[in-house]
Amino acid sequence: MAIKYDESIFVNPEDLIEEDEFFSGEPEDLDESELPKESMDDYKDEYLGDIRSINNGACLKGTIIKISDGEVYVDINHKTEGLVPIGEFIHDEEPPKLGDQLEVLVVKMEENDGSIVLSRNKARLLKAWDLADQAYQSEGIIQARVSAKVKGGLSADYHGLKAFIPGSLMSLQQEYDLEKYIGQRFQFRIIEFNRRRRNMVLSRKAILEKERKRVVAEILQKLEPGMIVEGCVKNITDYGAFVSIEDGRIDGLLHKADMSWAHVRDIHKFVKVGEAVTVKVLNVDRDHEKISLGIKQLNNDPWLTIDEKLRVGEVVKGSVKNITHFGAFVEVADGIEGLVHISDMSWTERIRHPKEVCNIDEIVDVKVLNIDPDERKIALGMKQVHPDPWSLVREEYQIGEVVTGSVKNLADFGAFVELKEGVEGLIHISDLSWVGRVKHPSDILVAGGEVEVKILDMDPENKKISLGLKQVNPDPWELAEDNYIPGTIVRGKVKKLTDFGAFIELKDGIEGLVHISDFSWTERVESPGDYVVEGQDVDVKVLEVNRTERRISLGLKQMGEEPWIDVTNKFPIGTTLEGKVTKLTNFGAFVEIEKGVEGLLHVSDFSWTERVNHPNEKVAEGDVVSVKVLDINYKDRKISLGVKQ
């Protein structure tokens, strides 16, 4: 709170020191006829004695009786006149005149010619110190002229005395332009005084503060809540504005919450510094000297009649006042704002930020969704101004129908296809193809391209439609058992190689697997890449078809004759023959008796007399050994061999 004050404050005359008491006086008149008739010597002695009775430094009153070019003659009621240098009158507003009365100080006496040297200025300085001393003791008020700016403040002249005014004590507020006071006369209170050290400190703030308190108390006593007053915006802060009222003598706070019934976000849009405003007094705190003001209280609260202005379901125009990440605040009536949530801005677009839809101060159409007068909240919608495109989905589309749409977005789990503006469906990655494994929708679809899809399921209430791409065409696996009969030979392309085999793509995109065990009758296959490469066309034999598990087993080695067909005829049980050791295990040694035909020489069949713990005690890989055929299991393709037999 600040007080506006006049530069010249009226002071009780009793507080002022009467300066005229020290600078005026009437001389006593002498009747020469009453003087005794004495001799010249007696008169001279009397004259000199009278002069000697005057002490240097004495302060006397006198009257100007003569003025010359260099001196002013003053009658001081002694035998001779005193002389004041004419230069002491040079700064007076009017020149000295005969008959003027003044107070002078005896400077010195000339005994040679009996003249007395006087000083009016020194007498004034002496009386000025007396006057200042009296004012200091009585806490009175003096008037002084500001003469110059000095370090830390100002210098003032008081009847020739120099005084110091600290810059902080020149006014109620912090002053940065002290030079504006130079040459002006003001009233001061002496706060420090030392005559011996010729030190005097003045304060104008002490007088202004006293006057301010008086004015504030008077204004606060007069102001009452509910009063309407005129004011001027003095200062603006983050939380409001200070308004100067009562002719600028006191300030009140206009909080931003009391500027408008609507939410105030930018104070500068409501008030400006220097602007005249009409305000209502809301509260007066006399103990803390605070005044609360309001502008919105000049009008009735619009929320009290909200039911008369707005109804749920109606479409109104409003101005966008603020935009946040979760929505936009729209003023739909004076002082009334509602929120358009980001989810209520569009039926058709995925809005990431409300700025994509509207701008500050833009006029928009909104629908009133809900009104809560108690919480002073209104829910508004932009998209609700137009029909929801999902509301007609069941009428426009049927499950099982094949439709054309535009690929809007590709994700790891599928593709979004727009069927019409605002209506999108999802093709799950599992519904992209009947055959093969789709790693990503981009393997089949392109964003922005058109595609035919079948509607698999619809849930308009939750805005979901399931679509299928593969379902547009028949499932080739439905006829797989008819098209791929075991034992038939088919042609395909090597699609992919793995550690356990090769996937062969057949017609209609169906893939079958050639297991690593079905590459060769006679060789142990370690890597399918040793036999085929990706992209190669190959002929394979269908071994097995499982439509339920969507699996076809294919064979390469089955394209040739199986070596085991004549094993029983070539190697009857009991036959002794030679073979080559191909592999050693903990339980025995495998012996190749013909290309592609191996038998097992078990560790127990090496010797009748010795305990053989491991085949390497008797043979090594590559050795040629004589063995006897002990048993043949054609079904499991196994032959038991023996050495000891």
Side-chain angles (χ1 to χ4, degrees):
M1 181 181 302
I3 302 298
K4 180 180 179 182
Y5 53 87
D6 194 343
E7 292 294 338
S8 59
I9 296 179
F10 293 98
V11 180
N12 191 332
E14 295 179 358
D15 291 339
L16 286 170
I17 303 301
E18 295 294 339
E19 301 173 0
D20 292 341
E21 298 175 6
F22 300 98
F23 302 103
S24 64
E26 297 291 337
E28 299 179 2
D29 296 332
L30 298 177
D31 187 354
E32 296 181 2
S33 63
E34 297 178 0
L35 294 175
K37 303 289 191 293
E38 298 177 352
S39 65
M40 181 62 70
D41 291 338
D42 292 338
Y43 181 79
K44 181 177 181 182
D45 292 339
E46 182 182 349
Y47 174 76
L48 294 175
D50 181 68
I51 293 175
R52 294 189 185 98
S53 67
I54 302 175
N55 296 322
N56 290 341
C59 193
L60 306 172
K61 292 182 180 181
T63 305
I64 296 176
I65 58 175
K66 180 182 177 182
I67 300 174
S68 67
D69 292 339
E71 297 170 323
V72 174
Y73 292 81
V74 180
D75 180 4
I76 56 174
N77 293 328
H78 284 271
K79 300 297 182 180
T80 182
E81 299 86 4
L83 304 177
V84 179
I86 190 70
E88 292 194 4
F89 298 88
I90 192 170
H91 295 297
D92 290 1
E93 294 181 0
E94 296 181 1
K97 302 186 301 292
L98 296 178
D100 286 351
Q101 296 180 352
L102 67 163
E103 192 165 324
V104 292
L105 181 75
V106 177
V107 178
K108 65 179 179 176
M109 295 173 292
E110 300 290 350
E111 294 189 4
N112 294 333
D113 56 4
S115 62
I116 301 174
V117 179
L118 304 174
S119 173
R120 184 193 65 163
N121 290 346
K122 291 182 179 181
R124 285 187 169 184
L125 287 175
L126 181 64
K127 291 304 178 182
W129 280 112
D130 292 339
L131 184 63
D133 193 359
Q134 182 180 345
Y136 176 69
Q137 298 298 332
S138 64
E139 296 186 354
I141 296 173
I142 66 170
Q143 287 192 351
R145 184 180 66 86
V146 179
S147 57
K149 181 181 178 182
V150 296
K151 183 178 180 180
L154 296 167
S155 176
D157 179 83
Y158 176 62
H159 296 300
L161 300 182
K162 296 297 181 184
F164 174 65
I165 311 167
S168 60
L169 300 181
M170 190 60 198
S171 67
L172 291 173
Q173 293 83 29
Q174 178 67 40
E175 289 285 358
Y176 298 98
D177 182 18
L178 295 175
E179 294 183 355
K180 66 182 180 181
Y181 295 110
I182 296 176
Q184 300 184 58
R185 294 182 67 83
F186 298 97
Q187 294 177 343
F188 297 94
R189 179 160 286 158
I190 303 174
I191 58 174
E192 291 185 25
F193 183 82
N194 191 316
R195 186 167 185 168
R196 182 175 62 82
R197 295 183 179 180
R198 298 292 190 266
N199 178 46
M200 185 162 55
V201 180
L202 307 181
S203 172
R204 181 168 174 257
K205 183 177 181 179
I207 300 173
L208 298 177
E209 185 66 31
K210 181 178 179 181
E211 177 65 11
R212 186 198 72 83
K213 290 183 178 180
R214 184 189 67 77
V215 172
V216 168
E218 179 182 309
I219 294 174
L220 291 176
Q221 194 62 36
K222 182 179 69 173
L223 289 177
E224 294 291 342
M227 294 177 62
I228 297 175
V229 296
E230 300 296 326
C232 180
V233 179
K234 185 176 182 180
N235 186 34
I236 294 177
T237 67
D238 293 337
Y239 52 86
F242 286 95
V243 178
S244 183
I245 60 175
E246 291 294 316
D247 297 326
R249 294 179 296 168
I250 195 170
D251 291 348
L253 173 62
L254 173 61
H255 197 275
K256 69 177 184 179
D258 294 312
M259 291 182 178
S260 172
W261 291 109
H263 185 68
V264 177
R265 298 173 182 87
D266 186 356
I267 298 176
H268 293 84
K269 288 186 177 182
F270 284 84
V271 293
K272 295 178 175 57
V273 174
E275 179 183 9
V277 292
T278 301
V279 292
K280 189 173 187 177
V281 179
L282 305 180
N283 185 50
V284 179
D285 186 345
R286 296 182 175 88
D287 294 334
H288 298 90
E289 298 183 356
K290 292 183 178 180
I291 301 173
S292 298
L293 306 173
I295 289 180
K296 74 179 186 181
Q297 288 80 3
L298 295 173
N299 302 307
N300 294 327
D301 184 354
W303 282 93
L304 298 178
T305 57
I306 186 67
D307 294 339
E308 302 175 6
K309 299 174 182 177
L310 296 172
R311 290 180 176 82
V312 174
E314 71 174 318
V315 176
V316 296
K317 289 187 178 295
S319 176
V320 179
K321 293 300 182 182
N322 189 38
I323 297 176
T324 68
H325 68 280
F326 57 82
F329 288 91
V330 179
E331 186 177 46
V332 291
D334 291 339
I336 296 178
E337 291 183 4
L339 172 65
V340 180
H341 194 269
I342 190 171
S343 62
D344 291 316
M345 289 188 164
S346 175
W347 294 114
T348 61
E349 300 292 333
R350 295 179 183 271
I351 308 300
R352 294 173 181 165
H353 196 282
K355 288 183 179 179
E356 300 175 9
V357 178
C358 57
N359 300 307
I360 297 293
D361 295 330
E362 181 181 352
I363 303 299
V364 295
D365 291 326
V366 291
K367 189 171 187 176
V368 181
L369 306 180
N370 185 47
I371 300 175
D372 188 345
D374 296 332
E375 295 293 330
R376 305 172 81 90
K377 292 181 179 179
I378 298 178
L380 304 173
M382 287 182 177
K383 70 181 184 181
Q384 288 83 357
V385 174
H386 308 286
D388 181 0
W390 282 90
S391 61
L392 302 176
V393 164
R394 291 194 184 278
E395 299 177 10
E396 297 178 351
Y397 302 102
Q398 301 295 323
I399 294 177
E401 180 183 2
V402 176
V403 295
T404 301
S406 175
V407 179
K408 300 294 289 185
N409 187 33
L410 299 177
D412 292 339
F413 53 85
F416 289 94
V417 177
E418 185 180 56
L419 304 183
K420 72 171 188 175
E421 186 176 7
V423 177
E424 290 184 2
L426 172 66
I427 306 175
H428 192 270
I429 193 169
S430 62
D431 291 316
L432 288 173
S433 175
W434 289 114
V435 295
R437 180 175 296 179
V438 180
K439 294 181 179 179
H440 193 274
S442 59
D443 295 342
I444 297 177
L445 300 174
V446 178
E450 287 193 352
V451 62
E452 279 191 343
V453 292
K454 179 178 279 190
I455 298 177
L456 306 180
D457 192 16
M458 294 191 300
D459 184 2
E461 290 74 17
N462 293 309
K463 295 181 171 51
K464 292 182 179 180
I465 295 180
S466 295
L467 304 174
L469 178 64
K470 70 183 184 181
Q471 288 83 355
V472 173
N473 299 306
D475 183 359
W477 283 97
E478 293 294 330
L479 301 176
E481 292 180 344
D482 296 331
N483 294 334
Y484 303 100
I485 300 172
T488 59
I489 297 174
V490 294
R491 190 168 185 81
K493 185 185 293 288
V494 179
K495 189 72 174 180
K496 182 182 179 182
L497 299 179
T498 68
D499 293 338
F500 55 84
F503 286 95
I504 309 298
E505 184 180 25
L506 306 176
K507 65 179 182 178
D508 299 328
I510 288 180
E511 291 182 3
L513 173 65
V514 179
H515 193 269
I516 194 170
S517 62
D518 291 315
F519 272 80
S520 174
W521 290 113
T522 61
E523 298 179 6
R524 186 180 298 275
V525 180
E526 300 291 340
S527 173
D530 295 338
Y531 289 82
V532 293
V533 296
E534 290 185 4
Q536 178 182 349
D537 291 330
V538 292
D539 290 327
V540 290
K541 182 175 283 189
V542 178
L543 304 181
E544 183 183 4
V545 178
N546 189 325
R547 182 173 62 85
T548 304
E549 296 181 6
R550 309 175 82 81
R551 178 169 54 83
I552 297 179
S553 296
L554 304 173
L556 275 176
K557 72 181 183 180
Q558 287 80 0
M559 296 294 293
E561 185 177 347
E562 180 181 1
W564 277 84
I565 292 178
D566 294 330
V567 164
T568 54
N569 296 327
K570 288 183 178 180
F571 310 106
I573 295 174
T575 304
T576 300
L577 48 85
E578 288 187 345
K580 184 177 181 180
V581 177
T582 59
K583 184 179 180 181
L584 299 179
T585 67
N586 291 330
F587 53 83
F590 286 93
V591 179
E592 185 181 51
I593 59 177
E594 186 179 74
K595 188 174 180 63
V597 179
E598 289 183 345
L600 174 62
L601 173 60
H602 195 270
V603 68
S604 62
D605 291 315
F606 271 89
S607 173
W608 291 111
T609 60
E610 296 180 20
R611 180 182 181 85
V612 179
N613 296 312
H614 195 279
N616 60 11
E617 296 177 6
K618 295 295 183 177
V619 294
E621 289 186 9
D623 289 351
V624 176
V625 293
S626 294
V627 292
K628 180 179 280 190
V629 178
L630 304 180
D631 188 33
I632 298 176
N633 186 338
Y634 183 81
K635 180 180 179 181
D636 295 331
R637 305 296 197 269
K638 291 181 180 180
I639 299 177
S640 296
L641 303 175
V643 171
K644 70 180 183 180
Q645 288 84 357

